[in-house]
Amino acid sequence: MLEFAILGLLHQAPMHGYELRKQLAQVLGGLRSISYGSLYPALKRLHAAGYVTTDEPDPRAPLPADAPPLTGRRGKVVYTITAEGKERFHELVGQSGPEAYDDGGLFGVRLAFFRHTAADVRLRILEGRRRTVERQREGLRASLSRTRERLDRYTLELQRHGLDSVDREVRWLAELIDRELTDGQPPRDGGADTGDPPAPPRP
Amino acid sequence: MLEFAILGLLHQAPMHGYELRKQLAQVLGGLRSISYGSLYPALKRLHAAGYVTTDEPDPRAPLPADAPPLTGRRGKVVYTITAEGKERFHELVGQSGPEAYDDGGLFGVRLAFFRHTAADVRLRILEGRRRTVERQREGLRASLSRTRERLDRYTLELQRHGLDSVDREVRWLAELIDRELTDGQPPRDGGADTGDPPAPPRP
DNA sequence: GGACCGATGTATCGGGACGATACATCAAGG
DNA sequence: CCTTGATGTATCGTCCCGATACATCGGTCC
């Protein structure tokens, strides 16, 4: 999941780890943040896989000691995405299977990079997510009506609130899907299931 | 967090790991489940700490080989809470500091066991949780109004939905607090922090 | 001038949780 | 009979988190 998000951000511009973390927190929805304990190992993995490069200028460079007034520039490391990294990102961005929406966290990241995602893939992800959350909702409803009597007030309240949240998410997703359908092809008309979508986000 | 939940469940009745997991899923609000990869190591820790015992009858028992028709009874292990475990649980149940509400997951578990929690502690936890979530909400609001223009439609929608969820949680908590205040002490009057709550579990 | 402080910045460590997986028993039913 | 599904115990590798350490920079306050 981090892999996708990092590649997505570096796809837009090279960045320091620190900046990356801030952007990440924003992309993730504001509340969910990413810790350095996840970020740096992830960057290391990406580096090892050849998806990013660093400008680390070899820490033990001789440095003839004749540029002391030169602006510090200590350990700052700028991470840049490579061609392989971009390829990998586009590969990931094209996935529309359950792995893209079964986990809410990954779905959030996918949504945040929807502008890089083809219209048909967007739709499949949104609908897959809706089905997943709907299933959750039904399970929750069933469990709640089954155990309503045996639960104390607080547990009941907890379940009620959970169900309410899930229900709201379903409605939200339905709204997104609706918007996707209505303003994705307002001027177009016949372009049905030819497998070749209007491909709107062509960077 | 698991420690608290497991002790809480075993406090009510001895159980198998399997049953524990099912109950846990219910207590956690239905959507959040616990994997065996967490559960069994947690039970092992609790066992090592002396908070639970097992009826494991020593796997390499001689078994004179004269009871084949005896009902299988393979590895089933029943976990039972000990006196130290109960003590530990009551110690945990008395905590009302930030550790009880800063993490949403733990807060949920605390709520699920509110019937074992003193009224004043309940109130402190609910109010602490509310303050935490309110802070989140304000941060989210600020971030949203700061970056409204620079975000694309999908990211914006994600943030909007997140803010909405948080807002709903605040209102839900306010409702719980209100109910706590109004029907916690209608007949009583002075019975403040005596540690002996009016026992409100009113079904 | 200098002392402090918060933002920027890189990095590791231990621990906890997860998903996947393996294995075993037993009841129900095609 | 034999396959499926529920019950049941347990581990492995991987990921992620919170805490922590360290270092630099631009301010502000006295």
Side-chain angles (χ1 to χ4, degrees):
Chain A
M1 189 214 79
L2 258 189
E3 179 187 359
F4 184 92
I6 291 174
L7 288 180
L9 284 178
L10 291 183
H11 195 272
Q12 303 171 216
M15 250 178 273
H16 293 169
Y18 188 83
E19 177 73 9
L20 213 37
R21 182 173 126 98
K22 280 197 305 182
Q23 303 264 349
L24 231 28
Q26 220 158 77
V27 146
L28 272 268
L31 17 87
R32 227 171 254 305
S33 186
I34 271 330
S35 79
Y36 292 123
S38 315
L39 180 58
Y40 284 110
L43 283 170
K44 196 169 282 189
R45 284 195 299 272
L46 290 175
H47 187 240
Y51 296 148
V52 304
T53 55
T54 70
D55 65 344
E56 188 86 36
D58 192 355
R60 58 230 174 283
L63 213 326
D66 61 336
L70 187 132
T71 44
R73 272 194 159 285
R74 199 186 22 86
K76 289 199 186 188
V77 182
V78 175
Y79 294 91
T80 308
I81 195 169
T82 65
E84 291 93 336
K86 290 186 183 180
E87 197 182 330
R88 173 67 175 154
F89 180 66
H90 288 124
E91 179 191 330
L92 290 172
V93 124
Q95 294 184 348
S96 59
E99 71 276 3
Y101 50 75
D102 270 2
D103 172 46
L106 182 50
F107 168 74
V109 180
R110 294 302 308 265
L111 193 65
F113 289 97
F114 254 25
R115 63 182 172 286
H116 301 294
T117 309
D120 59 326
V121 174
R122 287 202 300 260
L123 198 55
R124 270 202 292 275
I125 290 178
L126 286 172
E127 284 173 339
R129 179 66 186 163
R130 178 167 61 169
R131 290 199 61 214
T132 294
V133 182
E134 271 173 348
R135 258 194 301 269
Q136 272 183 14
R137 181 178 61 176
E138 298 326 314
L140 225 42
R141 266 211 247 271
S143 143
L144 190 55
S145 66
R146 248 190 300 109
T147 63
R148 193 186 304 277
E149 287 86 18
R150 302 204 311 276
L151 298 173
D152 67 295
R153 194 169 62 166
Y154 299 107
T155 310
L156 205 67
E157 209 49 52
L158 189 59
Q159 305 248 8
R160 242 194 22 73
H161 180 244
L163 182 54
D164 188 63
S165 297
V166 169
D167 200 60
R168 290 218 131 224
E169 189 173 351
V170 170
R171 282 209 284 274
W172 175 64
L173 288 166
E175 210 177 302
L176 287 184
I177 290 170
D178 214 56
R179 205 177 306 180
E180 200 73 22
L181 290 174
T182 58
D183 73 28
Q185 38 208 15
R188 303 301 214 113
D189 110 276
D193 45 14
T194 65
D196 206 42
R202 302 292 319 142
Chain B
M1 187 215 81
L2 258 189
E3 179 187 357
F4 184 91
I6 291 174
L7 288 180
L9 284 178
L10 292 184
H11 194 273
Q12 304 172 217
M15 249 178 274
H16 293 170
Y18 188 83
E19 177 73 10
L20 213 36
R21 182 174 126 98
K22 280 195 307 181
Q23 302 264 347
L24 231 28
Q26 218 158 80
V27 145
L28 272 270
L31 18 85
R32 225 172 253 307
S33 186
I34 270 333
S35 78
Y36 292 123
S38 314
L39 180 59
Y40 284 109
L43 282 170
K44 197 169 282 189
R45 285 196 299 273
L46 290 175
H47 187 240
Y51 296 147
V52 304
T53 54
T54 70
D55 64 345
E56 188 84 37
D58 192 354
R60 56 229 174 285
L63 215 326
D66 60 337
L70 188 133
T71 43
R73 272 195 158 283
R74 199 187 22 87
K76 287 200 186 188
V77 183
V78 175
Y79 295 91
T80 308
I81 194 168
T82 66
E84 292 92 336
K86 290 187 183 182
E87 198 182 330
R88 174 67 175 154
F89 180 67
H90 289 125
E91 179 192 330
L92 290 172
V93 126
Q95 294 184 350
S96 60
E99 72 276 4
Y101 49 76
D102 270 2
D103 171 46
L106 183 49
F107 168 74
V109 180
R110 294 302 310 264
L111 193 65
F113 289 97
F114 254 26
R115 62 181 172 286
H116 301 292
T117 310
D120 58 327
V121 173
R122 287 202 300 260
L123 198 56
R124 272 202 291 276
I125 290 178
L126 287 172
E127 283 173 339
R129 180 65 187 164
R130 177 166 62 169
R131 290 199 61 216
T132 295
V133 182
E134 272 173 349
R135 259 194 300 271
Q136 271 184 14
R137 182 178 60 176
E138 298 324 313
L140 226 41
R141 267 211 246 272
S143 145
L144 191 55
S145 67
R146 247 190 301 108
T147 61
R148 193 186 303 277
E149 288 85 18
R150 303 204 311 276
L151 298 175
D152 68 294
R153 196 171 59 164
Y154 299 106
T155 310
L156 204 66
E157 210 49 52
L158 189 60
Q159 306 248 7
R160 240 193 24 72
H161 181 244
L163 181 54
D164 188 63
S165 297
V166 170
D167 200 59
R168 289 218 130 220
E169 189 173 351
V170 169
R171 282 209 285 272
W172 175 63
L173 288 166
E175 209 178 302
L176 287 183
I177 290 170
D178 214 55
R179 205 176 307 180
E180 200 72 22
L181 289 173
T182 58
D183 72 29
Q185 40 208 14
R188 305 296 218 113
D189 107 277
D193 43 18
T194 64
D196 206 42
R202 306 284 317 133

